[in-house]
């Protein structure tokens, strides 16, 4: 089958195109540009690429056209496919209809932690011999790519955990379940279409204001997701999150396995999976694991932060309770989990200054990421360099939350807003954030450009400092610019007699 992808260079669309290629299909794709890392990866996978959006890209006529959710109704290539009678679909339906059938979907949902938890799930299942397929919106360090076809035969069957009605599950397929809308021609959440047998909800906190104008509409999307987990399924849910508890208790048909950290307010839900943090340092962190109230061993993580302990608990529950991987396999495998690129990802260290990249953009994620880095690097100053770029981050929806989100940092620098079209009265007020941080006795600035930020760090960063670059986008190429500036600073220092 010839499958053509319109807007193929996004993280999710590109990975799905790779999956179709791996499944033996002829795959082509178009987009406005093919920047690294996705552009070179698509070429390496053998996908024929076309620059721009043009109806001519549909010749020869494909059997199926997958239209990305970044496309608008006016996209000429998408419009030509639809009007020309070519079979068209969305990313979510293409995955569900062509790759998930005969498998057991494990869908990880939540405002925060989806990528890391999905990757942990895939890793633990892989190490447990379950040979999972996966599609993840990030680059897992333990795998060669962000996708993989299931290695085991479809419908092979895995015994269900006790209390789940007996029977078998198919080979697992891990999907990072995004609540964003499906396509311009179908305004439903993507994660409604994956038919999960095992589902995880890590957290719920109002996000994607461009799609969900109020919290009620956001909660409704998650309620619909929970309703779609069948009675014979398993729902793994965060007991510490009041919104998760509310949504799950109002909509769940499946068995629910709650998880939490010791000391959490679990809102009346007794957690089956519990972690008691047992210390953290530069090498990672440890926690004591309890399953059903019984001590199940001490686990270790290379990735820092209590939020990652929560992610690990959810993944442990999915692998062990959902697919029968023994805890004696899960616990040592977890210690070998290396994380995901763009999640507390150490890019380089130059002149004693460590520079990390992280995708965090919601205030809760910003706070958790900075706390995790502070735990890992307790000496030196922690710089938080934040680009408000998403439709939600650029708005004043979380104004007060951002004023509190940088508490673990010693030095805060805010980049310009990444969206200029937002009305002035709706915009995030950077100066107010800076004033609040300075009022707490810490240094903060609102920079006018990426170049100004690079200059600040090159002048002021000292050996032992940690710089966290926080953005869900390319951040104006700051990564290479900062590397060059710190390298030049070091060279200049060596030349001083």
């Amino acid at each position: 089958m010839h499958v053509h992808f319109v807007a193929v260079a996004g993280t999710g669309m590109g990975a799905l195109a790779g999956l179709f290629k791996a499944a033996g299909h002829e795959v082509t794709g178009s987009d406005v540009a093919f920047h690294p890392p996705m552009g070179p990866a698509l070429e390496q996978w053998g996908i024929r690429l076309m620059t721009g959006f043009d109806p001519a890209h549909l010749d020869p006529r494909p059997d199926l056209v997958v239209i990305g959710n970044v496309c608008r109704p006016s996209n000429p290539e998408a419009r030509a496919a639809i009007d020309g009678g070519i079979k068209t679909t969305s990313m979510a339906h293409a995955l569900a209809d062509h790759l998930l059938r005969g498998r057991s979907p494990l869908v990880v949902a939540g405002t925060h932690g989806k990528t890391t938890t999905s990757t942990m799930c895939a890793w633990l299942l892989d190490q447990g011999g379950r040979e999972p397929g996966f599609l993840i919106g990030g680059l897992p360090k333990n795998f060669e790519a962000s996708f993989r076809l299931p290695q085991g035969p479809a419908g092979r069957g895995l015994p269900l955990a006790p209390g789940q009605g007996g029977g078998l599950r198919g080979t697992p397929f891990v999907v990072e379940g995004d609540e964003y809308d499906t396509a311009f021609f179908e305004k439903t959440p993507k994660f409604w279409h994956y038919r999960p047998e095992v589902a995880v909800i890590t957290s719920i906190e109002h996000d994607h204001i461009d799609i969900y104008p109020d919290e009620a509409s956001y909660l409704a999307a998650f309620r619909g997701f929970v309703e779609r987990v069948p009675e014979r399924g398993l729902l793994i849910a965060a007991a510490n999150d009041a919104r998760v508890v509310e949504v799950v208790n109002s909509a769940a048909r499946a068995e629910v396995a709650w998880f939490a950290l010791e000391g959490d307010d679990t809102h009346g839900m007794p957690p089956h999976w519990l972690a008691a943090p047992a210390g953290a340092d530069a090498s990672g962190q440890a926690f004591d694991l309890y399953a059903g109230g019984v001590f199940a061993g001490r686990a270790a993580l290379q990735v820092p932060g209590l939020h990652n302990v929560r992610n690990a608990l959810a993944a442990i529950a999915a692998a062990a309770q959902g697919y029968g991987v023994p805890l004696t396999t899960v616990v040592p495998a977890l210690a070998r989990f290396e994380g995901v690129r763009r999640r507390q990802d150490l890019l380089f260290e130059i002149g004693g200054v460590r520079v990390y990249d992280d995708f965090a953009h919601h205030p809760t994620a910003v706070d958790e990421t900075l706390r995790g880095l502070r735990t890992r690097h307790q000496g030196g100053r922690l710089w938080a360099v934040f680009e408000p770029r998403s439709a939600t981050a650029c708005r004043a929806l979380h104004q007060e939350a951002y004023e509190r989100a940088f508490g673990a940092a010693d030095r805060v620098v805010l980049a310009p807003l990444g969206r200029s079209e937002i009305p002035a009265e709706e915009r995030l007020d950077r100066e107010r954030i800076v004033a609040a941080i300075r009022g707490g006795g810490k240094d903060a600035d609102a920079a006018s450009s990426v170049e100004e930020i690079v200059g600040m760090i090159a002048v002021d960063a000292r050996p032992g400092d940690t710089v966290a670059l926080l953005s869900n986008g390319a951040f104006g190429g700051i990564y290479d610019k900062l590397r060059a500036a710190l390298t030049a600073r070091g060279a200049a220092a060596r030349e001083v007699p």
Side-chain angles (χ1 to χ4, degrees):
M1 181 170 66
H2 174 194
V3 185
H4 180 71
F5 286 76
V6 183
V8 72
T11 302
M13 282 282 281
L16 183 61
L19 270 174
F20 270 85
K21 183 67 176 179
H25 299 289
E26 177 189 356
V27 180
T28 58
S30 62
D31 215 317
V32 293
F34 299 97
H35 299 301
M38 187 53 69
L42 288 166
E43 291 182 343
Q44 181 182 346
W45 300 333
I47 296 169
R48 185 163 61 88
L49 304 178
M50 310 167 197
T51 302
F53 297 123
D54 189 329
H57 295 161
L58 303 175
D59 184 19
R61 184 184 178 94
D63 301 296
L64 177 67
V65 174
V66 183
I67 300 174
N69 72 345
V70 300
C71 295
R72 297 294 173 258
S74 58
N75 183 290
E77 195 170 316
R79 191 77 266 159
I82 294 170
D83 295 343
I86 301 174
K87 185 177 180 180
T88 58
T89 191
S90 66
M91 173 184 166
H93 282 292
L95 174 62
D97 295 342
H98 295 275
L99 295 170
L100 295 184
R101 289 191 183 279
R103 312 294 181 182
S104 175
L106 192 177
V107 183
V108 179
T111 309
H112 314 296
K114 290 188 294 291
T115 302
T116 299
T117 305
S118 299
T119 308
M120 284 181 173
C121 287
W123 174 244
L124 296 181
L125 289 168
D126 177 84
Q127 295 298 288
R130 298 303 186 258
E131 301 177 311
F134 55 83
L135 180 65
I136 297 166
L139 296 174
K141 295 181 181 179
N142 290 91
F143 297 106
E144 294 181 356
S146 58
F147 64 89
R148 189 175 79 180
L149 288 173
Q151 305 299 294
R156 174 185 58 182
L158 296 168
L160 295 179
Q164 292 178 255
L168 300 174
R169 288 201 205 287
T171 301
F173 198 119
V174 182
V175 181
E176 180 178 339
D178 187 0
E179 69 270 25
Y180 212 74
D181 63 351
T182 302
F184 69 77
F185 47 84
E186 185 178 351
K187 291 296 185 180
T188 56
K190 285 193 286 187
F191 62 10
W192 280 11
H193 305 293
Y194 299 141
R195 300 186 290 271
E197 288 193 5
V198 177
V200 174
I201 301 184
T202 63
S203 54
I204 301 177
E205 190 172 1
H206 189 199
D207 199 3
H208 302 310
I209 192 172
D210 52 329
I211 302 295
Y212 303 104
D214 51 37
E215 184 175 77
S217 60
Y218 193 70
L219 292 177
F222 279 88
R223 193 169 290 111
F225 173 72
V226 169
E227 291 170 348
R228 285 165 169 78
V229 184
E231 291 182 6
R232 70 186 297 273
L234 174 66
L235 180 60
I236 298 157
N240 68 297
D241 189 311
R243 295 179 187 86
V244 172
V245 172
E246 173 193 346
V247 167
V248 169
N249 283 340
S250 68
R253 297 185 294 143
E255 177 186 1
V256 179
W258 299 100
F259 67 91
L261 300 189
E262 185 180 50
D264 279 345
D265 177 357
T266 61
H267 306 92
M269 301 298 107
H272 180 79
W273 299 94
L274 184 73
D281 55 27
S283 64
Q285 58 193 10
F287 62 92
D288 290 331
L289 175 66
Y290 294 85
V294 178
F295 178 66
R298 175 159 290 189
L301 279 172
Q302 298 181 38
V303 290
L306 292 180
H307 62 296
N308 278 320
V309 177
R310 297 187 193 280
N311 295 339
L313 270 180
I316 290 169
Q321 190 170 348
Y323 294 95
V325 180
L327 290 178
T328 52
T329 299
V330 165
V331 171
L334 193 64
R336 299 191 298 273
F337 177 71
E338 297 175 15
V340 184
R341 297 197 185 281
R342 301 216 68 193
R343 270 64 175 184
Q344 299 184 45
D345 192 12
L346 179 61
L347 297 179
F348 52 83
E349 181 174 345
I350 298 174
V353 178
R354 295 174 290 264
V355 177
Y356 281 86
D357 179 26
D358 198 278
F359 196 74
H361 50 286
H362 190 284
T364 298
V366 169
D367 177 59
E368 290 174 341
T369 296
L370 293 174
R371 290 180 185 276
L373 288 172
R374 171 53 75 201
T375 298
R376 170 164 282 188
H377 302 295
Q378 299 180 20
R381 294 177 300 169
L382 176 58
W383 292 62
V385 183
F386 175 58
E387 180 189 36
R389 184 178 178 274
S390 71
T392 303
C394 288
R395 286 179 165 86
L397 175 67
H398 297 305
Q399 178 73 48
E400 294 183 0
Y402 278 120
E403 293 171 18
R404 301 187 298 269
F406 300 95
D410 303 295
R411 181 85 166 82
V412 179
V413 183
L414 303 180
L417 300 186
R419 297 182 182 231
S420 59
E421 74 277 9
I422 296 174
E425 65 274 12
E426 297 180 16
R427 292 178 195 162
L428 183 72
D429 189 337
R430 296 189 304 149
E431 296 296 342
R432 182 174 147 187
I433 297 173
V434 167
I437 295 170
R438 288 177 176 173
K442 296 185 178 181
D443 292 332
D445 289 287
S448 60
S449 66
V450 165
E451 287 69 26
E452 182 183 358
I453 295 172
V454 170
M456 288 180 185
I457 299 171
V459 170
D460 296 337
R462 301 190 292 262
D465 284 1
T466 299
V467 177
L469 304 176
L470 309 173
S471 172
N472 69 331
F475 208 155
I478 193 171
Y479 314 101
D480 291 338
K481 293 173 183 177
L482 183 55
R483 183 193 296 268
L486 291 175
T487 300
R489 185 180 77 168
R494 288 192 296 271
E495 291 175 2
V496 174

